Amino acid sequence: MAHFGTASDALAALPDMAGRAGRKGLQIASAEDAESELVRLDALGATLVTLGETAYPEALASLDHAPPVLSVIGDTGALHRTGIAIVGARNASANGRRLAETIASDLAADDSFAIVSGLTRGVDTAAHEGALASGGATVAVMAGGLDIVYPPENTELYARIRETGAIVSEMPPGTEPKPQYFPRRNRIVSGLSHAVVVVEAARRSGSLITARLAGEQGREVLAVPGSPLDPRVWGANNLIREGATLVRDADDIREAVAPLLERAPGRPQRAETVAIALLLDLSASDDESRDAVVACLSPEPVAVDEIVRRCQLTAPVVRTILLELELAGRLERHPGNRVAAC
């Protein structure tokens, strides 16, 4: 939009840009499709919040590639509180669930905090329950559409959260939660938060993805220690070994977060304040340059600045080619201004 001037002109340019990178016939959603989605959201009692609006959470807006659109059911004000994400094992122990619930209840009793989690089984459920028990705010981030509760047994919990907290998704209504959507969901969980607390996580737990994303986003990473004999806590113990703050209770979290609140993530610069000529350079996007950029890509994420250095192309040309590849489905964005082939 900053380059083309209006949303309409930007949308009109997308099929041609995707075609340059090999994808022919890119279809843009019609106005009728968009209106239909808005009607479905309205029927759910949901609000559409877009990047750049004052209702969009500042912490999330500060990220590279923040979700451009969020659907929200409930209190959008909960998204602007100091978010503390509590995540962990789905098959959490009784002690793990009780500790997550206690910490969430203690923190949420303070109106300045909101407990953020993913509504899944185990620690997530306990964290939401704890926040609700104290009358505090909690935010549930969905991997699918707002109208599909996952897991189904949390339908009643979902209903309670929508009454006093917020339910958030970047996916349109009707989207079934699929495995590839959960890492995307996790970046929102950490992005909405000033700190991420891991309570029990196995070696390959999705909670470790959330913790990694939190570190890349500049958030505080904390973990609750456990017995080395329990495989459910390997991930949390390893996070502490690598430098995560050890958590015993809610006071440890308050102490860790206090310095962050003094330099809380702010709203990023609006695109209009950036010199438009520096963003993209469609005129210099040729096959030779595109081949050079593609040669720098692999399934392993690489920094965009590194691609600029290797290819000896200008930053606007590299940005343009990366955008073309993304539109063609050949590129995936990662936190920290990194990209990977897909």
Side-chain angles (χ1 to χ4, degrees):
M1 286 175 62
H3 180 86
F4 288 100
T6 68
S8 297
D9 289 343
L11 286 170
L14 297 186
D16 179 63
M17 295 184 71
R20 294 188 187 199
R23 180 178 178 179
K24 304 299 181 183
L26 176 67
Q27 295 295 315
I28 304 300
S30 67
E32 291 76 14
D33 290 338
E35 291 290 348
S36 175
E37 184 175 326
L38 290 173
V39 169
R40 296 178 69 181
L41 288 170
D42 186 62
L44 290 170
T47 301
L48 202 65
V49 180
T50 60
L51 185 63
E53 293 181 332
T54 56
Y56 195 96
E58 288 193 11
L60 195 59
S62 69
L63 304 184
D64 291 334
H65 310 297
V69 178
L70 292 176
S71 301
V72 184
I73 293 178
D75 178 17
T76 57
L79 306 180
H80 297 273
R81 301 190 188 192
T82 300
I84 304 294
I86 300 180
V87 298
R90 298 186 183 190
N91 64 334
S93 67
N95 283 337
R97 292 194 300 270
R98 184 168 62 251
L99 184 59
E101 186 172 345
T102 300
I103 290 175
S105 178
D106 192 344
L107 288 173
D110 181 339
D111 287 342
S112 64
F113 289 105
I115 303 301
V116 184
S117 202
L119 198 67
T120 49
R121 301 178 181 93
V123 168
D124 286 22
T125 295
H128 291 306
E129 292 279 8
L132 292 171
S134 67
T138 188
V139 178
V141 186
M142 311 286 284
L146 288 177
D147 54 342
I148 299 179
V149 181
Y150 180 83
E153 60 262 32
N154 275 350
T155 299
E156 189 269 340
L157 176 59
Y158 172 99
R160 290 163 56 205
I161 293 174
R162 69 177 292 161
E163 291 299 320
T164 60
I167 301 169
V168 177
S169 177
E170 66 173 330
M171 298 297 184
T175 304
E176 293 283 348
K178 298 179 180 179
Q180 62 266 36
Y181 296 159
F182 284 91
R184 293 178 58 88
R185 185 276 308 272
N186 293 349
R187 90 190 193 287
I188 299 177
V189 170
S190 55
L192 284 170
S193 308
H194 288 69
V196 171
V197 182
V198 178
V199 182
E200 297 188 349
R203 189 182 294 264
R204 298 187 180 276
S205 170
S207 301
L208 299 183
I209 297 176
T210 308
R212 175 178 59 79
L213 292 170
E216 293 172 348
Q217 294 166 349
R219 277 44 172 165
E220 187 76 10
V221 179
L222 308 95
V224 175
S227 169
L229 299 177
D230 187 345
R232 288 174 295 194
V233 299
W234 184 94
N237 286 345
N238 194 59
L239 286 173
I240 295 171
R241 186 171 182 267
E242 293 178 346
T245 300
L246 186 150
V247 170
R248 298 162 297 181
D249 53 30
D251 286 339
D252 287 337
I253 299 171
R254 291 189 182 94
E255 181 180 341
V257 169
L260 291 178
L261 299 183
E262 298 175 2
R263 49 185 174 88
R267 189 174 299 279
Q269 282 187 313
R270 292 180 60 85
E272 292 87 343
T273 66
V274 182
I276 289 176
L278 298 179
L279 293 177
L280 300 173
D281 187 353
L282 277 69
S283 63
S285 172
D286 54 35
D287 290 342
E288 183 178 349
S289 299
R290 190 174 298 102
D291 290 343
V293 171
V294 170
C296 293
L297 298 174
S298 74
E300 186 69 23
V302 60
V304 172
D305 289 345
E306 178 66 13
I307 296 175
V308 172
R309 186 186 66 79
R310 288 187 196 175
C311 296
Q312 296 186 328
L313 297 168
T314 66
V317 171
V318 171
R319 288 194 203 101
T320 300
I321 293 171
L322 293 177
L323 178 55
E324 291 169 352
L325 292 169
E326 184 177 14
L327 290 168
R330 299 171 57 189
L331 182 93
E332 185 176 18
R333 302 278 180 176
H334 291 265
N337 199 27
R338 298 178 302 151
V339 294
C342 61

